[in-house]
Amino acid sequence: MQKIEETQFPENFLWGGAVAANQCEGAYLEDGKKLSTADMVMGGTKDKPRMFSPQIVEDAYYPSHQAIDFYHRYKEDIAMFGEMGFKVFRLSINWTRIFPNGDDQEPNEKGLAFYDNVFDECRKYGIEPLVTLSHYEIPWNLVTKYKGFHSKKTIDLFVRYATTCFERYKNKVKYWLTFNEINVAAIAEGALNGLGLVQKDDLERVEPIPLHDLIDDPQERFEALHNQFVASALTVKAGHEINPDFMIGCMINRITWYPHTPNPKDVLACQKHDRLFNQFAGDVMVRGEYPTYMYSYFKENGIDPSFITEEDKKILSEGKVDMYTFSYYLTNCVSADPMVEKVGGNITGGARNPYLRLSDWGWHIDPEGLRYTLNLIADRYPNIPIMVVENGYGGIDQVEENGAIHDNYRINYLRDHIREMRNAIEDGVPLIGYTEWGPIDIVSVGTGEMYKRYGFIYVDRHDDGTGDYTRSKKDSFEWYKKVIATNGADLA
Ligand code: BG6
């Protein structure tokens, strides 16, 4: 019997899915495209870290180079999203398709035409594109030449790239995000992909380096992150001038942190970490100014904040985002005790929460945490629309002899999270959309694997390079189709 949920999602709720260019497109040197930071990172596993190589190593496996070949198969994939009834499809533009070196004189017409085709295909099925301008990658040339966003020059180059996209697609795309999970650069683990900040000594290394071993200079990291904030604010301002109807958002990797115990030491440590990781970037981008607690963080950590100039403050205040979007997979705990049991997480781990189950990759599963998080965001930033632009279950799928894939674990995870979104809407949260992460299997960012799968659509592609890229439906495909068709009323 069909189970109808009591509260309805708002009319026109944007149901859909989300991917990133370097995790799905492949064709990494096709039609004029050149290398980006994501193309320099090899495959790993849960237990074997991904390695970064400053030069491409012949015969080594770089997952982004082929990925799932979306570049050539987008029509088939978007048709399947259309069949599921998607209202929105979040994807990213690969900067190196538009400006292959980042600092080229003219944009690459073939790259621009590719996304024209992708957006037209979306429109054919009534799917609204939601476009991230930089999803964990920047042109490699900007890393070697300018040290990525550490240089002010990269601000201008990003704004030029963004405005080129805005002008070209202004009648095809309304929803935009500037930088994916911009906040992760507040901690060392997030330094490479988005910021392109690689130190000279690392660039000169001959052997590949585990990503987490890249040299971190916190002063330079915060300077580069600041430049990204400025680039984002200038982009928002320029976007509104090009098309006042644009909705341009920030995108935050939201790991809500709980104190591991009621010990005030844990509570304070948790507050500090939460501010640094979750609140800082959102505060800058939604409120248009640095929060005072960051000046205290800079002081405590020996960081000179003089990079925050009066001119930049004005830019930040003039480029506030129109919506708050975020990824949500898990919550973690913070403890003041360094000996506490640890678990993994998305980009960064935390202390083990004994009340929560773990996924196949050791991430806490916490649907109620999503309701809590949505309420925290709505309380902090009243009157701004909110969208969950990533949420999903990375698991191990078993293909049966008849080709079926019974992914009940994924359905259960999504059902529980969607139900909590509905509860949050009931609480008054202005949630306007939900894009499930990886509606089609794609390369994992954390481990570089295809083995870790998120999709409703299975892709026959494996980490040993085998597979013919055939697409097939998992059980979750029909389930999500029904969820969308009933606007979230039927989650059974
Ligand atoms: C998010 C990223 O942090 O997490 C995605 O924006 C990523 O690009 C997703 O794929 C899931 O992480 P993973 O490591 O399972 O791919």
Side-chain angles (χ1 to χ4, degrees), residues 33-147:
K33 181 188 173 304
K34 293 211 170 147
L35 295 172
S36 82
T37 42
D39 297 324
M40 316 305 284
V41 189
M42 299 172 169
T45 66
K46 187 160 138 240
D47 308 309
K48 188 173 141 251
R50 298 191 72 177
M51 308 289 277
F52 156 77
S53 71
Q55 311 285 338
I56 295 291
V57 179
E58 229 176 287
D59 296 330
Y61 173 53
Y62 293 87
S64 70
H65 294 190
Q66 282 83 31
I68 60 157
D69 198 32
F70 177 82
Y71 192 74
H72 299 110
R73 294 161 200 259
Y74 66 91
K75 286 192 179 167
E76 183 189 347
D77 296 342
I78 294 169
M80 290 181 90
F81 300 154
E83 189 185 336
M84 271 189 281
F86 276 24
K87 312 283 181 227
V88 63
F89 174 41
R90 175 178 174 229
L91 70 160
S92 69
I93 293 181
N94 198 320
W95 188 346
T96 51
R97 289 204 193 280
I98 311 302
F99 288 100
N101 295 293
D103 58 357
D104 317 71
Q105 290 298 316
E106 296 296 330
N108 172 26
E109 178 52 36
K110 284 189 172 160
L112 286 166
F114 170 68
Y115 293 105
D116 263 324
N117 294 339
V118 169
F119 300 144
D120 289 346
E121 206 61 22
C122 288
R123 292 264 169 233
K124 213 163 108 182
Y125 298 95
I127 300 174
E128 188 79 47
L130 161 61
V131 177
T132 316
L133 287 160
S134 172
H135 191 119
Y136 279 167
E137 61 185 339
I138 80 168
W140 183 242
N141 177 55
L142 299 186
V143 176
T144 54
K145 209 159 164 184
Y146 305 107
K147 228 181 191 182

Side-chain angles (χ1 to χ4, degrees), residues 6 18 20 48 73 216 225 245 281 285 356 382 431 442 484 492:
E6 279 161 21
K48 188 173 141 251
R73 294 161 200 259
D216 177 46
L225 177 56
D245 290 337
M285 297 172 88
L356 298 177
L431 185 65
I442 51 176
I484 298 177

Side-chain angles (χ1 to χ4, degrees), residues 23 135-136 180-181 253 329 346 363 390 437 444-446 452 454:
Q23 291 172 259
H135 191 119
Y136 279 167
N180 183 62
E181 297 186 343
N253 175 333
Y329 294 87
N346 190 8
W363 295 8
E390 285 187 33
W437 179 254
S444 151
V445 146
K452 184 180 191 187
Y454 285 88

Side-chain angles (χ1 to χ4, degrees), residues 370-382:
L370 178 55
R371 177 183 186 176
Y372 176 61
T373 302
L374 282 163
N375 276 282
L376 287 177
I377 297 167
D379 287 351
R380 193 171 186 96
Y381 310 118

